[in-house]
Structure formats: C-alpha cells, structure tokens
Amino acid sequence: MRQPSKLLNQLTPTSSTEVSLRLDDRPREGCGVVGVSGLDSASESAFLSLYALQHRGQEAAGIFTFDEDGPHVLKGEGLVGDVFDKWSIRKLVGRTAVGHVRYSTAGGNDLDNVQPIIARYSHGNIALAHNGNLTNHFDLRKRLVDEGAIFRTTSDSETLVHLIAKSRHDSIDAQVDDALTHLEGAYSIVLAIDDVIYAARDPRGFRPLVLGKKEKGHIVVSETCALDILGAEFVRDIEPGEVIKIVDGSVQKLRSLPSADQPAPCIFELVYFARPDSRISGVSVDRARRAFGRHLAREHPVEADAVIAVPDSANSAALGFAECSGIPFELGMLRNHYIGRTFINPSQQDRDFGARMKYNPVREVVEGKSVVVVDDSLVRGTTSLSLVRMLRQSGATKVHFRIGSPPVRWPCFYGIDMPTKRELIGSTLSVPEIEKKLGVDSLGYLSLEGMLEAVAETGPYCTACFSGTYPAPLVDVDKGFVSEQGPATC
Ligand code: AMP
C-alpha cells in the first residue's frame, strides 16, 4: 500500500519586496509543463526544464515527485528560482516528476490554483500539469458540481482530476482515456498517477508538447529548449490527439483521441510566445520569425537608416526584415531583463514609466536616423505608443513601425492570455487609425496570407486571434458561461 499524501510545506510568496505596481500590465500567457520518468533526481530535471520554460509563465511554479514513501510536492508563487533552491529540490525525491510554471489564464491566482494540481483518489495520487484552456470547462464543472463534486480550485484543469476520479472504468489507463474524451479546447497535459506518467495533447494540438530521452529515462516538455538544458535528445512531438504513458522511463503509446478535422497548432506560439531556440511542430521558431520578417519587408517596404527590434521577441523578425530590405540591423533598443516584483513609488509613475522600466533606446544608434521598428505583434498598443515617444525623444527623425503578424482582433480561448476584444487595438481601430494613434510615420502589418505563406511547409495553424475562425467549439461561450469578448483573465 502506498502511503497517503504527504505534502511538503507550500511556500509562502518569496519576494520580500512589495508589489505596488504591476510593471508589465500587458497580458501574460499560459503555462509550461514537464514530466520526467526513469531518471534519478527527477526533480532536478524538472526544475531545470521549468527554468527553460520560465517565459511561459512567471506567476507560480510547482513540482511533484513520487517514490516509495509516496508523493512530495512543492509549489509557490513567483519565478522558478524564487520557489526552489537546491535544498528544497533535494527533498523532492523520486524518479518520477511533474512540473509546471503558470501565469493564470483560467482561474484565480491563489496558491490552490498553482499547479501541479494534487489530489488523492481510489487508485493513487494524481498530479496534473496543464497548458491550454478548456472551452467546455464551465459546462463540465456545472455538471460535476450538480453530481456532488467539490472543487478545490477555480482552475479549469481540476475538471480533469474529477473526471478521472469518477470514471467507472477499472484500469487507470481506461480512466485517463475516458476522462480525456470529455474535454474540449486546448490541452497539453502531463499527469502523474503515483509513479506513472501520462502525457496527452488535444486533437488539434493547440499547445506544443514534445518527447525527449536522456539515459534510461524519458521527458515530456512544452518546448524543445527545455530538453536542451538537460542535454536530452529530442525524440518527437507528441502528436495532436496522442496519449502516451511512461513507466519507469519506457514509453507506451496508449491511444489516439478521436481526431479533429485537422490539427491547428497555435501560430501565436511562433509569432511571440515560444522561445526562438525551440522547435514547435517541426518548425524552428527563429526560422519562422525570420520568414515573417522577410515577408513583412516585401509587403511593406520603406526607406530607412536602421532596422531595430523591440527586444527580445521581435529580434528574429527584425533580422529577417533587415536581411530582405538590405537596411542594416542595429541594436537600437535595450531591454532590462531584471525587472521583478519591484516597489515603485507612485510619484515616479508617468505615462511611459512602465515601458521605460523595461526598454531604453540607444541614443547613439537612433539619433538623427530614420528607423524601422519591428515588433512581433500589437496587442493593446500601449507599449508601442511609449516606445515611439521614447525613440523620438532620443532623436530619431522618422519612426516607421512594422509588425511581424496581422492585427490581433479576436480574443484567445485556447490559452494565450490576451485582453478582451474591446481592449485589443486591432479590434477597435483601423490600421490608419492605429498609425495615427501611435504617432508613427508609417505602420505596416504582415498580412494573414503572408504569415501563412511564410510557414507554408507546415500547418495548418490556428489563427483565431487574427482571423476570428475558432477551430475548436467554444462550448462555454455558446452556453453563456463565458463572454464572447474573451475569457476572464487575472
Ligand atoms: P501592446 O503594447 O499591448 O500592444 O503589447 C505589444 C507587445 O506585447 C509586443 O511587443 C509583444 O511582444 C508583446 N505581446 C504580445 N502578445 C502578448 C501576450 N499575450 N502577453 C504579453 N505580451 C505580449
């Protein structure tokens, strides 16, 4: 018999400084997941993977491990490096681990919602890490609550835990399988039941999930950059609709969920979200962004002295733009990477303060120059507005803005944390109106056709935020549980 759940202390928030102003009040996004099986010190591998996946969520982090003494868990708010240290990692013993970094896209951001979600049911201890948003979460939740389920979190992910626990199948494999068939929307999931890992990707494959191998173990992670940090070998993507099981490092294909009409991995992962050193669905994120930049240069040519990127997410697109236009790429804008939870005196705030904390133009590069600024996307338009003012203050004679994706006009229901439709600048203003509002000399967006052409060798993709075409049914919207303006985000 396994021992009952023996949870380590849950950490209190780790930063001693106070949060008086959220420096980056732009939307944040989804999550990163990791599962490790068959490696000694699995928690160390999970920790390093989460470190590499930090860009996918900065709000909280958690790791579950399992050994003969039972489960061990540590979760906390903050960055991976704040939540864990080498001593706490050592206490997470076992050859099986599940880890998660999150910024809440569904549910609140208190500790109960920090993943992995932990529960104990008749067949063992469950630890669940989920990336994506279910589009039938409220519908399922209502049904489960009506049947007597008591939810501990407000997270959509907990629904799966209840579905597994109440499945009438005898084997755990069949219970997991059965539970997954109820889900609609976006889910890349890593789940441990005691020391067995399950990994699943929804039939459209909205969010990435890849399998890696190291020594006698296997690792499942959101992005390949998390394999690189471990020195693990990339094996393959988990296919859309695929469910695998890993027992002490050996992988079994469990089954495929009923396939969707066609896969629809999120193109915004390539535009902004994923790290450029990752490969997603067989595409190098860096190469895709460069191709976006080259297409952009062809669609919106301009005469200028320098191409500068809004670092870091637009670096690759700006290089592509420079390559195709022949205009030299310059490091004209710097980004501070060390902005944490900082105390800021309200008197220090002005309209550009948030952007100035994060970005600073290099006067020597921009002064007296006509510059093309390449950004990967425009969301609310607030950062760009500040950047344009800052560049002019630093002496730029002309500021042309080029965006390596089409206007974001529609909310995301599949796990990218976007503001509501009415807050999206591309949804409320036309391109000439945006050009005027930003105060730029010219503005050009990459067209949807150009974007798809740039990655024509792969796909099809979900382009919902640009096109308004949603590949997976929006059950909760249709039933009135969620506003069509977009899911509530924290
Ligand atoms: P905004 O000033 O609101 O238009 O934000 C545009 C900037 O936000 C761009 O530089 C993008 O790199 C970045 N961005 C795009 N999508 C997101 C997102 N979902 N969360 C956070 N930042 C984003």
Side-chain angles (χ1 to χ4, degrees):
M1 261 303 268
R2 303 280 191 205
Q3 282 187 3
S5 192
K6 191 184 65 184
L7 304 187
L8 291 181
N9 290 341
Q10 316 236 307
L11 277 195
T12 49
T14 45
S15 171
S16 57
T17 46
E18 225 172 297
V19 194
S20 78
L21 168 73
R22 192 172 282 296
L23 289 175
D24 186 354
D25 64 354
R26 294 175 310 176
R28 312 279 184 93
E29 57 288 316
C31 305
V33 297
V34 54
V36 182
S37 171
L39 285 181
D40 290 334
S41 316
S43 60
E44 237 167 70
S45 301
F47 166 75
L48 290 171
S49 300
L50 294 183
Y51 224 95
L53 297 174
Q54 186 76 81
H55 61 289
R56 299 186 71 88
Q58 298 88 38
E59 174 106 335
I63 295 177
F64 159 100
T65 61
F66 193 89
D67 74 345
E68 55 283 357
D69 290 333
H72 311 274
V73 184
L74 182 55
K75 307 199 267 186
E77 291 173 352
L79 299 176
V80 176
D82 298 330
V83 175
F84 303 100
D85 58 31
K86 64 180 177 197
W87 294 280
S88 56
I89 290 291
R90 274 187 210 142
K91 285 189 197 159
L92 296 170
V93 284
R95 291 165 55 81
T96 306
V98 170
H100 191 263
V101 281
R102 103 182 285 247
Y103 192 89
S104 44
T105 49
N109 51 8
D110 52 59
L111 208 52
D112 274 346
N113 282 310
V114 176
Q115 297 195 16
I117 292 180
I118 310 293
R120 186 171 164 78
Y121 85 121
S122 54
H123 286 63
N125 299 278
I126 303 181
L128 170 69
H130 169 204
N131 175 208
N133 262 167
L134 303 180
T135 53
N136 64 341
H137 153 227
F138 288 101
D139 187 42
L140 286 173
R141 191 178 176 109
K142 182 173 183 313
R143 270 194 270 155
L144 289 162
V145 169
D146 288 347
E147 289 165 15
I150 298 170
F151 277 77
R152 272 180 42 202
T153 76
T154 52
S155 152
D156 61 336
S157 318
E158 193 185 350
T159 318
L160 179 63
V161 173
H162 286 273
L163 290 170
I164 294 171
K166 75 184 283 290
S167 170
R168 290 176 187 269
H169 290 273
D170 293 332
S171 76
I172 297 180
D173 289 2
Q175 289 164 355
V176 171
D177 196 64
D178 175 32
L180 288 169
T181 57
H182 291 85
L183 308 184
E184 195 53 87
Y187 53 90
S188 280
I189 281 168
V190 177
L191 172 77
I193 299 188
D194 288 348
D195 55 0
V196 176
I197 296 271
Y198 294 88
R201 200 167 166 207
D202 67 74
R204 293 173 186 82
F206 285 106
R207 301 280 142 240
L209 197 63
V210 297
L211 178 67
K213 182 171 173 35
K214 186 178 178 188
E215 296 153 12
K216 291 199 171 132
H218 275 94
I219 304 124
V220 181
V221 284
S222 295
E223 287 182 38
T224 55
C225 65
L227 297 177
D228 296 339
I229 198 172
L230 300 179
E233 181 193 323
F234 167 75
V235 177
R236 61 182 179 82
D237 283 277
I238 305 290
E239 295 302 323
E242 187 179 0
V243 187
I244 62 164
K245 173 181 174 182
I246 317 178
V247 184
D248 200 20
S250 65
V251 178
Q252 300 163 27
K253 196 172 162 99
L254 210 60
R255 76 148 192 166
S256 289
L257 294 162
S259 66
D261 326 334
Q262 51 184 22
C266 165
I267 202 157
F268 206 73
E269 293 268 354
L270 295 178
V271 169
Y272 164 77
F273 196 18
R275 257 173 56 163
D277 51 337
S278 287
R279 293 181 65 80
I280 299 239
S281 311
V283 190
S284 146
V285 176
D286 170 69
R287 296 295 125 164
R289 287 182 190 165
R290 283 183 192 233
F292 295 155
R294 286 195 297 272
H295 275 70
L296 181 62
R298 265 179 236 128
E299 288 184 8
H300 298 283
V302 62
E303 279 187 21
D305 301 316
V307 175
I308 67 177
V310 179
D312 295 313
S313 46
N315 289 349
S316 302
L319 282 165
F321 192 100
E323 183 194 311
C324 186
S325 63
I327 304 169
F329 175 85
E330 294 278 1
L331 288 175
M333 179 89 69
L334 262 290
R335 174 179 167 178
N336 186 332
H337 289 101
Y338 308 102
I339 306 173
R341 294 163 166 243
T342 317
F343 176 82
I344 292 154
N345 184 334
S347 67
Q348 289 174 306
Q349 296 175 36
D350 64 31
R351 59 184 181 168
D352 295 332
F353 188 74
R356 267 197 287 121
M357 283 291 289
K358 196 162 173 183
Y359 301 106
N360 199 26
V362 182
R363 180 173 278 276
E364 289 63 28
V365 174
V366 302
E367 193 163 27
K369 301 264 177 57
S370 152
V371 296
V372 194
V373 184
V374 178
D375 204 348
D376 57 271
S377 55
L378 274 191
V379 182
R380 288 191 169 98
T382 45
T383 315
S384 330
L385 194 65
S386 296
L387 292 181
V388 175
R389 282 196 293 251
M390 284 157 60
L391 285 161
R392 294 218 192 271
Q393 281 162 11
S394 297
T397 52
K398 288 217 155 93
V399 180
H400 301 280
F401 235 76
R402 295 292 179 270
I403 312 296
S405 60
V408 177
R409 294 203 164 107
W410 302 87
C412 178
F413 294 92
Y414 306 129
I416 296 281
D417 197 356
M418 289 284 191
T420 56
K421 190 164 184 286
R422 63 174 74 89
E423 294 167 284
L424 295 169
I425 193 167
S427 163
T428 52
L429 300 181
S430 66
V431 175
E433 285 168 338
I434 299 171
E435 185 176 88
K436 198 163 163 220
K437 177 157 187 195
L438 297 185
V440 287
D441 293 279
S442 73
L443 172 67
Y445 279 96
L446 178 62
S447 67
L448 185 57
E449 300 70 39
M451 184 173 70
L452 293 175
E453 213 179 290
V455 285
E457 280 166 27
T458 52
Y461 287 97
C462 172
T463 59
C465 55
F466 304 120
S467 63
T469 303
Y470 291 95
L474 304 179
V475 179
D476 287 337
V477 174
D478 294 341
K479 296 201 172 182
F481 292 116
V482 170
S483 158
E484 54 190 19
Q485 285 288 322
T489 53
C490 310

